[in-house]
Amino acid sequence: PEVMDGAGECPGGGDLELEEVSVSQEGRRVLEKFSARIPAGTFCAVMGESGVGKSTIADLLARLIDPEAGAVRLGGVDVRECGLASVRREVVLVEQTPFLLHASVRENLRFGNPGAAVEEVARELGIADLLERDAAGERGQALSAGERQRIGIARGLLRAGSVYVFDEPTAALDEVTEAMVMRVIRERLRGKTVMVITHRAKVAAMADQVIDLGERVVS
């Protein structure tokens, strides 16, 4: 495998740095000497058109891929020096299309935290009525796209990490539900480092820091 396990423990704290990171995919340069620093506790939005490298940054942080050049640091430590399990305890990645098991909704919510109490977060995200569902269907096909997305978000919020990365978390939601979901994310993860990859200007407007990959600007 291209991503090799490290030996160290990944530090918490949530301070992120990408230093002159370059990544190619399918023969095309996606990121070229890209640098950004996201201080611990920051709510950061990453914007840009499709194909400019937004999801690539998410993959780098969770070490699904490693950069060809440059470094990704968490708490000042290059994540390549850390064990994969250690990195993924600290970095919670919620993908745009979450993978759901052919199991009950409760079991899907507890997938990353088997002992979690799920009722409160389900109520906050408007999916409490789904808790009695015995089966989400194969890959969650018994649910709507918006329901699947909110289950994925809830599952991420039930994890205990220091960095939370949400890839287009509101893509399948209407504006009212989007505002509710983003409010829950902000309130539940106050003090944590949160990165939201989004095309939505209203979501970006909630952020403390905005990275626009189309313009390669960090503000």
Side-chain angles (χ1 to χ4, degrees):
E2 295 180 6
V3 176
M4 304 299 292
D5 209 352
E9 281 293 313
C10 188
D15 192 80
L16 292 175
E17 182 182 11
L18 294 93
E19 181 182 4
E20 297 198 339
V21 168
S22 295
V23 178
S24 296
Q25 294 178 345
E26 299 179 356
R28 182 177 69 88
R29 201 65 136 181
V30 180
L31 293 174
E32 178 70 45
K33 293 185 176 180
F34 173 74
S35 296
R37 181 167 180 269
I38 303 158
T42 299
F43 188 104
C44 173
V46 180
M47 301 192 73
E49 298 301 318
S50 297
V52 297
K54 302 186 303 297
S55 295
T56 300
I57 290 176
D59 292 344
L60 286 166
L61 294 177
R63 283 207 71 203
L64 300 179
I65 61 172
D66 282 333
E68 297 159 28
V72 178
R73 298 187 179 92
L74 177 57
V77 176
D78 191 322
V79 293
R80 288 172 292 198
E81 299 175 7
C82 305
L84 292 173
S86 174
V87 172
R88 291 165 190 168
R89 278 196 301 271
E90 293 297 327
V91 181
V92 178
L93 174 59
V94 177
E95 297 184 300
Q96 179 177 349
T97 305
F99 186 90
L100 299 188
L101 303 170
H102 188 35
S104 72
V105 170
R106 284 179 183 271
E107 287 174 293
N108 273 286
L109 288 172
R110 289 177 173 146
F111 184 68
N113 183 356
V118 303
E119 288 79 9
E120 185 175 356
V121 70
R123 177 180 54 76
E124 291 173 357
L125 291 173
I127 53 173
D129 59 319
L130 302 179
L131 293 178
E132 304 312 314
R133 293 276 189 100
D134 292 330
E138 192 69 34
R139 293 180 176 266
Q141 292 305 308
L143 305 167
S144 72
E147 289 169 340
R148 291 195 297 272
Q149 198 152 47
R150 281 179 285 166
I151 287 171
I153 292 166
R155 188 163 61 188
L157 293 174
L158 291 168
R159 291 274 309 280
S162 59
V163 176
Y164 293 77
V165 183
F166 297 88
D167 192 352
E168 297 284 3
T170 64
L173 306 179
D174 59 65
E175 287 191 7
V176 173
T177 308
E178 175 184 83
M180 177 265 291
V181 165
M182 294 309 303
R183 184 176 65 251
V184 172
I185 289 174
R186 290 223 64 163
E187 291 175 355
R188 279 193 165 258
L189 298 180
R190 195 173 302 280
K192 302 286 188 178
T193 304
V194 179
M195 176 182 287
V196 177
I197 296 165
T198 184
H199 284 95
R200 305 277 184 97
K202 287 185 178 180
V203 173
M206 303 176 189
D208 308 315
Q209 177 182 13
V210 177
I211 298 173
D212 187 340
L213 288 178
E215 303 294 335
R216 292 297 195 270
V217 170
V218 181
S219 60

